[in-house]
């Protein structure tokens, strides 16, 4: 009897398995395409089945398919007997431990090639054994996926589209189903725009274009037929993101032919390479859900793309250009036009030295290869409808010779993924397509109108190139605001410095040559250096070939004034641009996140606008610019401020509306409120997931706990947390904590009464048709879109009532205040730049918390629209606290990306320096080294610990235990409250002779954790004043600093804008605690934290297993701009 499946065997083909080792034959996923009366796929009678292994669970299926692939893999390699059993033992052990396993690179490459060989719809697979694999399985971020795809395209372009490549990203976990996705069907696709005259572009991508515009805010400055769409990628556990593909990565070929000059006048183009990106690779039981693959085009593919009526429908236009009569189909004008198009496509690719195969050559070669495959291999799946070309089908013997081909699925196999529609629905939920179409129509019409207006003014407007270098998104957000404000002054082109380097500077060189003014905005990293993402751009500016040629420029820096090199990157950029012959338009702006950042930014921006404004003369000086800045405060403070303030009491122009659920329906939706759904993790990106935690133990280490609540005295506590799920972490990590707003519970009813809303009324926020709600402008509103919640929940859990009212918010509230004194207060809050601009240095306005807004300005009550309130209300800031324990005591191994970790080699000499609560990470280090000492030899480690008072019994006992266990070799204390006072840097100076051997050791690594004053003093003591010694440790990666502030207020958390070009978020960057919260989950696997002893902490990053963790905390007051929650940890700047 014919076998419907090939049973699993161990070795040698016993158990009825087919000797050809082709594995299970599956009739899906397209059973209707199995042709012929005799469906046997090989000479041994194996035939397809729809359910070959019914009832298998995920683990058994994984092991079965892994075994089938190993048998195929080793059979084709001719491996020695027993290799399959040996490898399967490894796989089984790994699966039992982790639920999945990892292919070797050779297995991955063979699997990718065999999958192409098994592809039934591909007529060009005779080159299956030439495909090269780019192994991207260690890429776990959206930015990394985008970079990998760009490198893929660049390699294809470099090779002239002569080779096939596949980029394989991490496999989907067999049990959880989490895996990366590329939403775009191909890496390079053309957009479609709906206009009053019809669709412009590729109609096949109309819905995808609408989705990208609606979900990601993408827009095209001009409506053209061949506009490349952004690439949408989604790493496992992250929200999807859209990235603009640089024009240097793809090649558009003009379609023309010398025999038909009129064809060139049609402006037809096509990309040189087909890079299919929505396919998945099923290999050995694993599913690689993101595996972009390129081959090369056949002429009929492009002819159909350009000629089909539901695509570009260019045949009538081609017929007109070559003089064909189209009044009757009987003239066969469509056939002639299609042939002319095919000839033009082949000629265009040949002229550009890009690979392409014509359909006659391809089909003849496939026919020969197919028969050889059947003869040599014994089987070959195929789909006749796909293999036979739509043109001149009967002219090849394959037309009848292959009409009994059978399509079936053999693994490894390439399968079509779920498609962007299902991914969109899974992530964003269902949407009304009619609303989307109307929205697209409005956007298209507005885009056309704006495009015409821009073209009219372009010739007389100043051309501005704005380049930004961001670390955590703050600088990018301000760059977006600056670009919006500068649009009234000139034509602005914005670029991310991350994508500019000496090697790939084509777009920058082009835009720099066109611009009149270069504006550069940069954050600072490390010791006042440009961000990691901008180092190549900085190298380009320093190169000999770069010349400013007298162009005007200005630089704006963003940083933290607690650090010695405040805005050092801006200083360096300013210096190099001046040295290259640039003319400084305005001195560098320096925006301090600790206070007045918005004011400093407005001062710089308004000064630049004043100098570039059409009303400003060419000889306008800086004093004139200041006066112009003051005059422009009310009109161009920022584009976002003008838009928001224009809402007024009627909220005209608001991009969203609030709908209160009717009373009779409220109870029915109580179980579907926003917070309950978020707690369940529904449709929320992992970086925004938190879990509740309770403190199971609080040990006072320093100070009196009874005085902490009133902030009467400083203190430090060891807090042990019980987490409902696992939080994998490493010693030295941070834990992000969102404090519950319980301290504002008494104010919530009054705030709601002022907004004319009951605290427990259920409401939802919906976007206005045709208007996007940008995340960077409306962070809280963006979180609430389409969800049901109550104002009590929003104000107590998600809103930052403890944050201060921003300058832009105060400007929007001014018109609503009926009391003159209150209006004056809001004016002072809104216009710090105007008050101080003549003095040359703006100062922050007096602070006003959102929680106190209606008490300070009672006239706003009953007058403020709820939409206006929500549009300016910030999200609740998170705090980062240091890990004070190690997971080494638990059977868990974690890998993270932070730099404040112990070295991999335990024998490396170590120097630890801590002060106050900076002991937290070293407590974890000691625990980890204690565990390591049980199994291996440890290198020497010394600890300097500075404290106000002698350590209590808990700290003293743990430190002595660490000494006895060998976790630390020596301990030196520095107590500053007793005479003679001794600080940690003094103790280092006293012990320098004993330390000298460690300091001279080329492997020694130094770790410092404390406030910036201690870091500076200890650095000087350790280096003996030698800057060269410090720089050498920096270069070699042996100098690790975890610095935090000295009680200065934390800045308002900037909302992370949606972007087309994302950047890496290095964990060692200069950032506020709330900025750090927005980093990707891959930046750290989790942590144990320093937490405030008087704050109920609700939110913690969600992980996967129950455990209890310990943390150390300084006591503090409620979070506010006046007094910080505690001493938040900051990375060294």
């Amino acid at each position: 009897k014919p076998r419907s499946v090939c049973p699993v065997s161990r070795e040698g083909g016993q158990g009825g398995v087919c000797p050809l080792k082709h594995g299970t034959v599956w009739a899906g996923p397209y059973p209707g395409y199995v042709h012929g009366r005799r469906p046997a796929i090989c000479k041994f009678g194996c035939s397809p089945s729809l359910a070959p292994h019914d009832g298998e669970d995920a683990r058994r299926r994984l092991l079965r398919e892994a075994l089938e692939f190993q048998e195929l893999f080793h059979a084709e390699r001719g491996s020695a007997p027993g290799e399959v059993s040996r490898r399967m033992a490894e796989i089984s052990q790994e699966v039992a431990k982790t639920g999945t396993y990892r292919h070797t690179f050779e297995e991955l490459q063979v699997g990718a090639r065999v999958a192409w060989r098994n592809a039934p719809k591909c007529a060009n697979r005779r080159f299956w054994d030439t495909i090269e694999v780019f192994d991207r399985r260690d890429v776990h971020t959206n930015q990394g996926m985008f970079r990998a795809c760009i490198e893929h395209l660049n390699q294809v372009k470099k090779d002239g589209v002569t080779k096939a490549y596949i980029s394989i990203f991490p496999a989907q976990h067999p049990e959880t189903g989490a895996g990366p996705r590329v939403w775009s069907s191909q890496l390079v696709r053309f957009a479609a725009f709906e206009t009053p005259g019809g669709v412009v572009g590729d109609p096949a991508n109309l819905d995808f274009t609408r989705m990208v515009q609606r979900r990601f805010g993408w827009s095209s400055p001009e409506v053209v037929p061949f506009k490349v769409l952004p690439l949408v990628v989604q790493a496992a556990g992250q929200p999807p993101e859209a990235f603009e593909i640089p024009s240097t990565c793809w090649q558009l070929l003009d379609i023309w032919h010398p025999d038909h000059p009129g064809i060139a006048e049609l402006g037809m183009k096509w990309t040189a390479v087909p890079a299919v990106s929505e396919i998945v690779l099923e290999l050995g039981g694993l599913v690689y859900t993101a595996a972009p693959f390129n081959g090369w085009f056949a002429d009929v593919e492009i002819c159909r793309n350009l000629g089909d009526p539901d695509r570009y429908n260019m045949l009538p236009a081609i017929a007109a250009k070559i003089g064909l009569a189209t009044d009757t189909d009987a003239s066969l004008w469509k056939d002639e036009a299609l042939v002319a198009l095919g000839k033009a496509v082949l000629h265009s690719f040949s002229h550009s030295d890009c690979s392409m195969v014509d359909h006659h050559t391809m089909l003849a070669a496939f026919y020969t290869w197919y028969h050889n495959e059947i003869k040599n291999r014994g089987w070959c799946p195929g789909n006749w409808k796909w293999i036979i070309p739509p043109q001149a089908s009967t002219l090849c013997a394959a037309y009848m010779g292959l009409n009994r081909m059978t399509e079936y699925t053999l693994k490894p196999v390439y399968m079509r993924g779920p498609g962007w529609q299902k991914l969109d629905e899974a992530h964003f939920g269902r949407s009304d397509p009619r609303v989307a179409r109307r929205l697209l129509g409005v956007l298209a019409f507005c885009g056309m109108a704006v495009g015409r207006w821009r073209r009219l003014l372009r010739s007389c407007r100043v051309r501005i190139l704005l380049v930004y270098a961001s670390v955590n998104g703050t600088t990018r957000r301000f760059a977006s605001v600056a670009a919006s404000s500068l649009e009234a002054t000139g034509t602005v082109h914005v670029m991310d410095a991350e994508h500019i380097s000496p090697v790939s500077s084509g777009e920058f060189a082009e835009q720099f040559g066109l611009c009149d003014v270069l504006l550069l905005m940069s954050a600072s990293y490390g010791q006042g250096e440009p961000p990691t993402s901008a180092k190549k751009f900085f190298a380009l500016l320093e190169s000999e070939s770069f010349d400013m040629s007298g162009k005007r420029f200005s630089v704006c820096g963003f940083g933290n004034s607690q650090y010695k090199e405040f805005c050092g990157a801006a200083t360096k950029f300013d210096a190099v641009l001046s040295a290259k012959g640039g003319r400084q338009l305005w001195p560098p702006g320096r925006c301090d996140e600790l206070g007045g950042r918005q004011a400093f930014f407005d001062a710089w921006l308004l000064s630049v606008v004043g100098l570039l404004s059409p009303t400003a003369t060419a000889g306008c000086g800086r004093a004139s610019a200041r006066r112009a800045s003051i005059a422009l405060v009310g009109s161009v403070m920022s584009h976002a401020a003008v838009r928001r303030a224009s809402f007024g009491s009627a909220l005209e122009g608001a991009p969203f509306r609030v709908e209160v659920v009717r009373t009779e329906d409220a109870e029915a939706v109580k179980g579907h409120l926003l917070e309950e759904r978020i707690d369940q993790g529904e449709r929320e990106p992992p970086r925004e997931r938190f879990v509740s935690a309770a403190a199971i133990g609080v040990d006072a280490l320093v100070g009196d706990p009874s005085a902490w609540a009133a902030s009467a005295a400083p203190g430090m506590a060891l807090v042990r947390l019980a987490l409902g799920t696992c939080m994998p972490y490493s010693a030295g990590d941070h834990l992000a904590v969102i404090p519950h707003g319980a301290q504002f519970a008494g104010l919530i009813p009054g705030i709601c009464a002022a907004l004319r809303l009951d605290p427990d009324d259920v409401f939802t926020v919906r976007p206005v048709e045709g208007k996007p709600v940008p995340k960077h402008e409306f962070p809280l509103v963006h979180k609430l879109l389409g969800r049901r919640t109550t104002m009590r929940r929003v104000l107590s859990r998600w809103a930052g009532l403890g944050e201060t009212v921003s300058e832009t918010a105060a400007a929007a509230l001014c018109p609503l205040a009926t009391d003159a004194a209150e209006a004056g207060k809001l004016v002072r809050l809104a216009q710090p730049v105007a008050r101080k601009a003549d003095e040359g240095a703006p100062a922050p306005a007096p602070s006003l918390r959102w929680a106190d807004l209606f008490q300070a300005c009672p006239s706003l009550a009953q007058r403020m629209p709820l939409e206006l309130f929500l549009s300016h209300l910030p999200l609740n800031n998170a705090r980062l606290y240091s890990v004070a324990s190690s997971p080494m005591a638990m059977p868990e191994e974690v890998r993270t990306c932070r730099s404040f970790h112990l070295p991999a080699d335990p024998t490396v000499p170590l120097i630890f320096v801590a002060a106050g609560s900076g002991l937290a990470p070293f407590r974890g280090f000691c625990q980890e080294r204690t565990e390591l000492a049980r199994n291996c030899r440890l290198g020497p480690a010394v600890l300097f610990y500075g404290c106000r008072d002698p350590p209590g019994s808990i700290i003293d006992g743990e430190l002595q235990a660490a000494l006895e266990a060998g976790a630390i070799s020596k301990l030196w204390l520095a107590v500053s409250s007793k005479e003679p006072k001794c600080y940690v840097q003094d103790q280092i100076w006293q012990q320098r002779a004993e330390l000298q051997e460690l300091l001279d050791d080329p492997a020694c690594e130094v770790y410092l954790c404390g406030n910036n004053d201690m870091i500076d003093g200890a650095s000087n003591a350790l280096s003996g004043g030698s800057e060269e010694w410090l720089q050498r440790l920096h270069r070699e990666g042996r100098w690790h600093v975890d610095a935090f502030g000295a009680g200065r207020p934390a800045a308002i958390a900037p909302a992370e804008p949606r972007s087309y070009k994302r950047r890496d978020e290095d964990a060692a960057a200069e950032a506020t605690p709330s900025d750090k919260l927005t980093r990707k989950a891959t930046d750290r696997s989790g942590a144990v934290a320093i937490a405030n002893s008087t704050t109920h902490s609700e939110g913690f990053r969600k992980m996967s297993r129950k455990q209890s963790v310990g943390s150390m905390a300084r006591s503090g007051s409620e979070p506010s701009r006046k007094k910080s929650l505690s001493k938040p940890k900051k990375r060294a700047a």
Side-chain angles (χ1 to χ4, degrees):
K1 294 182 180 180
R3 286 161 290 188
S4 61
V5 298
C6 293
V8 176
S9 67
R10 293 299 171 193
E11 298 276 350
Q14 66 268 26
V17 79
C18 182
L20 296 179
K21 303 284 188 182
H22 51 60
T24 297
V25 188
W26 183 33
Y30 312 106
Y33 294 140
V34 178
H35 306 290
R37 295 181 180 180
R38 292 173 294 180
I41 73 153
C42 69
K43 62 184 179 181
F44 294 99
C46 301
S47 58
S49 172
L50 277 173
H53 297 279
D54 222 359
E56 268 187 341
D57 59 21
R59 181 67 61 86
R60 293 186 62 187
R61 183 193 62 80
L62 173 62
L63 292 174
R64 175 182 57 78
E65 293 188 9
L67 175 57
E68 289 182 2
F69 173 70
Q70 290 300 321
E71 289 180 331
L72 173 66
F73 175 76
H74 290 287
E76 292 199 357
R77 294 182 64 198
S79 302
E83 279 298 305
V84 174
S85 298
R86 182 195 62 78
R87 178 62 176 138
M88 280 306 301
E90 296 176 354
I91 292 173
S92 300
Q93 184 178 4
E94 191 173 354
V95 170
K97 183 177 180 181
T98 65
T100 184
Y101 72 102
R102 185 180 176 90
H103 287 119
T104 66
F105 177 79
E106 188 175 7
E107 290 172 349
L108 193 68
Q109 178 136 303
V110 169
R113 290 175 173 177
V114 173
W116 192 12
R117 191 180 190 181
N118 289 339
K121 294 182 175 66
C122 182
N124 214 24
R125 49 185 154 136
R126 58 195 177 95
F127 301 99
W128 63 272
D129 57 348
T130 65
I131 187 172
E132 297 292 331
V133 172
F134 295 137
D135 189 353
R136 308 298 189 188
R137 288 177 292 172
D138 292 325
V139 175
H140 301 287
T141 64
N142 291 339
Q143 180 69 30
M145 290 184 66
F146 172 66
R147 285 182 173 177
C149 293
I150 293 303
E151 291 173 6
H152 187 135
L153 290 174
N154 283 333
Q155 185 63 44
V156 173
K157 184 178 178 181
K158 177 182 177 182
D159 293 335
V161 201
T162 58
K163 293 183 180 179
Y165 296 97
I166 183 171
S167 296
I168 301 179
F169 294 95
Q172 171 182 287
H173 196 282
E175 296 175 357
T176 66
R181 295 284 185 184
V182 179
W183 287 32
S184 307
S185 59
Q186 294 187 22
L187 296 184
V188 182
R189 292 303 301 266
F190 297 122
F193 306 95
E194 208 165 30
T195 68
V199 175
V200 176
D202 192 347
N205 299 322
L206 181 58
D207 289 339
F208 186 83
T209 304
R210 290 169 177 164
M211 184 276 295
V212 175
Q213 291 173 330
R214 182 174 71 257
R215 302 299 193 194
F216 303 95
W218 177 76
S219 62
S220 174
E222 51 187 355
V223 177
V224 293
F226 300 97
K227 173 65 178 177
V228 175
L229 281 162
L231 182 65
V232 181
V233 298
Q234 182 179 15
Q238 296 190 16
E241 290 186 84
F243 297 82
E244 285 279 10
I245 303 177
S247 58
T248 55
C249 299
W250 40 263
Q251 183 179 3
L252 288 188
L253 305 182
D254 294 315
I255 305 301
W256 65 285
H257 195 279
D259 295 341
H260 304 291
I263 290 180
E265 299 172 7
L266 297 176
M268 292 185 295
K269 305 174 185 293
W270 206 256
T271 178
V273 56
V276 182
S277 53
E278 65 176 354
I279 61 172
V280 301
L281 168 62
E282 295 191 22
L283 169 60
L286 298 182
V287 181
Y288 294 93
T289 51
F293 169 95
N294 82 273
W296 42 89
F297 278 117
D299 60 339
V300 291
E301 296 175 271
I302 298 179
C303 288
R304 291 199 61 185
N305 294 339
L306 293 173
D308 281 5
D310 60 345
R311 298 295 293 280
Y312 279 87
N313 195 25
M314 296 299 297
L315 293 187
I318 293 173
K321 290 295 182 181
I322 63 177
L324 298 178
T326 60
D327 54 336
T328 174
D329 290 341
S331 65
L332 301 184
W333 67 268
K334 294 181 181 178
D335 302 73
E336 290 189 55
L338 188 59
V339 170
L341 175 59
K343 292 172 64 178
V345 167
L346 286 167
H347 173 80
S348 301
F349 273 71
S350 175
H351 185 269
S352 301
D353 292 328
C354 292
S355 295
M356 171 172 279
V357 59
D358 67 275
H359 54 284
H360 295 286
T361 302
M362 178 183 66
L363 190 57
F366 176 82
Y367 190 57
T368 301
W369 176 82
Y370 175 84
H371 287 289
N372 289 334
E373 195 77 341
I374 294 293
K375 177 181 177 181
N376 299 326
R377 194 186 188 199
W379 73 92
C380 184
N383 185 305
W384 186 90
K385 295 178 182 179
W386 278 73
I387 297 296
I388 302 301
Q391 295 173 237
S393 306
T394 62
L395 299 182
C396 179
Y399 180 77
M400 294 300 296
L402 298 179
N403 68 343
R404 295 187 180 275
M405 278 195 303
T406 301
E407 179 178 9
Y408 47 89
T409 299
L410 291 175
K411 297 182 180 181
V413 64
Y414 292 118
M415 306 282 283
R416 188 178 184 274
W420 67 264
Q421 294 92 340
K422 292 185 178 179
L423 297 174
D424 177 79
E425 181 179 331
H427 185 78
F428 294 105
R430 290 180 178 273
S431 59
D432 187 353
R434 294 172 298 177
V435 174
R437 282 195 293 268
R438 287 195 292 267
L439 174 60
L440 185 61
V442 172
L443 291 176
F445 180 79
C446 294
M448 292 178 63
V450 171
R452 294 192 189 100
W453 178 75
R454 286 180 173 176
R455 285 192 293 272
L456 289 174
L457 296 180
R458 190 170 296 165
S459 58
C460 59
R461 289 159 56 85
V462 62
R463 290 164 295 188
I464 303 167
L465 176 58
L466 175 59
V467 180
Y468 67 87
S470 185
V471 172
N472 49 48
T474 302
T475 305
R476 183 179 59 187
R477 179 174 67 90
F478 279 98
S480 176
V481 173
S484 299
S485 299
L486 289 164
E487 284 177 353
T489 302
T491 302
V492 185
H493 186 84
V494 182
M495 294 190 68
D496 187 345
E498 182 177 9
H499 304 297
I500 307 172
S501 70
V503 177
S504 57
S505 60
E507 183 183 0
F508 173 75
E510 178 184 354
Q511 294 298 329
F512 180 74
L514 295 174
C515 78
D516 302 310
V517 178
L518 172 64
L519 300 181
L520 203 154
M521 301 171 65
S522 176
S524 292
Y525 170 92
Q527 301 297 317
E529 297 296 325
T532 303
S533 59
K535 288 191 178 298
K536 292 182 179 179
F537 173 59
F538 189 75
L540 171 64
L541 299 183
E542 288 186 311
S543 64
E544 295 182 1
S545 60
F546 182 76
D547 184 11
M548 285 292 289
S549 302
K551 286 185 185 288
R552 294 178 293 171
F553 74 91
S554 186
V555 180
C556 184
F558 294 83
N560 187 310
S561 58
Q562 285 183 304
Y563 300 106
K564 182 183 297 184
E565 297 294 336
F566 173 50
C567 291
T571 303
K572 289 180 170 63
F573 276 116
D574 183 77
V576 72
L577 292 177
S578 296
K580 291 294 183 177
R583 293 186 295 124
Q584 191 184 70
L585 177 70
W586 189 259
R590 292 179 171 83
C591 305
D592 188 2
E593 67 181 17
L594 294 182
R597 176 169 58 187
Q598 184 71 48
F600 284 106
F601 171 72
D602 285 343
W604 174 81
L605 179 59
L606 294 175
S607 299
V608 170
V609 169
L611 289 168
L612 298 180
S613 172
T615 60
T617 63
C620 177
R622 292 179 178 174
S624 302
R626 288 197 185 99
R627 290 192 293 271
S629 299
I630 296 172
L632 288 167
V633 164
S635 58
V636 293
M637 182 185 301
S638 76
H639 181 66
V642 173
R643 286 182 54 192
R644 293 178 180 177
S646 67
F647 296 171
S649 58
L651 285 173
E652 295 180 1
F656 63 93
R657 65 180 183 275
V658 178
E659 298 177 357
V660 179
V661 179
R662 295 181 303 173
T663 305
E664 56 268 26
D665 297 334
E667 291 301 322
V669 298
K670 286 288 188 181
H672 301 281
L673 296 179
L674 166 65
E675 286 72 25
E676 296 174 8
R677 295 171 67 179
I678 287 181
D679 288 343
Q680 298 167 7
E682 181 179 345
R683 295 210 313 261
E684 280 295 312
R687 70 179 183 84
E688 305 217 6
R689 290 179 182 169
F690 297 88
V691 296
S692 297
I696 59 175
V698 179
D699 297 324
L701 302 180
V702 176
D704 181 8
S706 63
W708 291 347
S711 300
M716 184 167 64
L718 174 65
V719 181
R720 293 182 176 86
L721 304 172
L723 306 178
T725 54
C726 171
M727 298 186 71
Y729 66 94
S730 292
D733 280 348
H734 289 159
L735 184 68
V737 181
I738 290 186
H740 193 289
Q743 66 269 35
F744 301 122
L747 300 175
I748 290 177
I751 295 174
C752 292
L755 296 170
R756 295 167 292 182
L757 186 71
D758 187 275
D760 296 313
D761 279 349
V762 179
F763 70 91
T764 185
V765 180
R766 300 190 184 281
V768 172
E769 182 178 339
K771 294 184 179 181
V773 183
K775 184 177 180 180
H776 65 281
E777 290 190 29
F778 308 100
L780 180 60
V781 173
H782 196 275
K783 180 180 285 292
L784 302 177
L785 282 177
R787 310 291 180 84
R788 294 186 176 97
T789 186
T790 66
M791 186 57 70
R792 188 186 301 277
R793 288 175 178 266
V794 171
L795 296 180
S796 62
R797 298 191 180 189
W798 298 101
L801 291 179
E803 306 294 346
T804 58
V805 178
S806 67
E807 291 93 336
T808 53
L813 299 178
C814 283
L816 302 179
T818 57
D819 182 88
E822 296 173 13
K825 182 185 299 183
L826 292 172
V827 168
R828 289 192 296 274
L829 285 169
Q831 297 185 343
V833 179
R835 292 185 296 104
K836 296 291 183 179
D838 284 324
E839 300 174 20
S847 62
L848 173 63
R849 298 188 311 175
W850 280 95
D852 305 323
L853 175 64
F854 293 108
Q855 295 178 354
C857 303
S859 67
L860 295 177
Q862 307 294 321
R863 292 178 51 80
M864 183 184 296
L866 181 56
E867 288 85 352
L868 183 63
F869 181 76
L870 292 176
S871 68
H872 290 283
L873 191 61
L875 282 170
N876 194 8
N877 283 339
R879 281 77 174 167
L880 289 187
Y881 299 103
S882 286
V883 167
S885 60
S886 169
M888 288 294 291
M890 303 177 184
E892 188 158 82
E893 180 180 349
V894 179
R895 292 179 298 171
T896 64
C897 299
R898 285 194 60 227
S899 62
F900 206 79
H901 287 154
L902 286 173
D905 183 359
T907 64
V908 168
L910 305 171
I911 298 175
F912 300 148
V913 183
S917 59
L919 180 64
F922 300 118
R923 181 178 183 269
F925 287 174
C926 288
Q927 289 183 5
E928 189 154 319
R929 286 174 60 84
T930 299
E931 294 296 324
L932 289 172
R934 303 179 192 275
N935 303 311
C936 62
R937 182 179 64 84
L938 299 181
V942 300
L943 171 62
F944 291 89
Y945 178 45
C947 46
R948 184 189 302 271
D949 299 302
S953 59
I954 297 177
I955 294 181
D956 185 64
E958 291 188 353
L959 293 178
Q960 293 303 320
L963 280 169
E964 293 173 3
I968 52 177
S969 310
K970 291 188 178 179
L971 168 68
W972 286 289
L973 296 177
V975 181
S976 59
S977 63
K978 295 186 176 181
E979 296 294 340
K981 291 181 180 294
C982 181
Y983 296 96
V984 68
Q985 54 264 41
D986 302 326
Q987 188 67 265
I988 294 174
W989 278 112
Q990 294 172 17
Q991 308 300 332
R992 268 194 64 86
E994 193 166 347
L995 277 178
Q996 198 61 48
E997 183 178 353
L998 287 179
L999 295 173
D1000 293 340
D1001 193 313
C1004 179
E1005 302 205 15
V1006 181
Y1007 295 79
L1008 303 94
C1009 184
N1011 63 39
N1012 287 284
D1013 292 336
M1014 186 280 285
I1015 297 294
D1016 289 342
S1019 301
N1020 187 53
L1022 287 168
S1023 66
S1026 172
E1027 187 68 23
E1028 181 183 353
W1029 183 84
L1030 274 178
Q1031 292 299 327
R1032 185 173 75 252
L1033 263 68
H1034 274 292
R1035 288 193 304 270
E1036 296 173 359
R1038 297 189 288 121
W1039 184 264
H1040 312 276
V1041 176
D1042 197 354
F1044 54 87
R1048 301 179 72 172
I1052 295 177
E1056 183 178 356
R1058 188 180 302 280
S1059 68
Y1060 306 136
K1061 302 177 181 178
R1062 292 295 298 266
R1063 75 283 169 223
D1064 283 338
E1065 295 169 329
D1066 196 299
E1070 176 183 23
T1072 66
S1074 48
D1075 283 338
K1076 292 179 183 176
L1077 174 66
T1078 64
R1079 293 182 184 154
K1080 303 299 180 191
T1082 53
D1083 285 349
R1084 53 183 179 277
S1085 298
V1088 187
I1090 292 216
N1092 184 280
S1093 59
T1094 63
T1095 303
H1096 171 67
S1097 301
E1098 177 201 1
F1100 293 84
R1101 289 196 181 278
K1102 183 177 291 184
M1103 301 298 173
S1104 62
R1105 183 175 67 83
K1106 290 184 178 179
Q1107 66 183 39
S1108 66
V1109 295
S1111 65
M1112 300 181 70
R1114 283 193 181 277
S1115 64
S1117 63
E1118 66 185 31
S1120 70
R1121 292 284 294 206
K1122 288 294 186 182
K1123 193 173 291 185
S1124 62
L1125 170 71
S1126 64
K1127 293 186 176 180
K1129 306 294 284 190
K1130 292 183 179 290
R1131 310 302 298 147

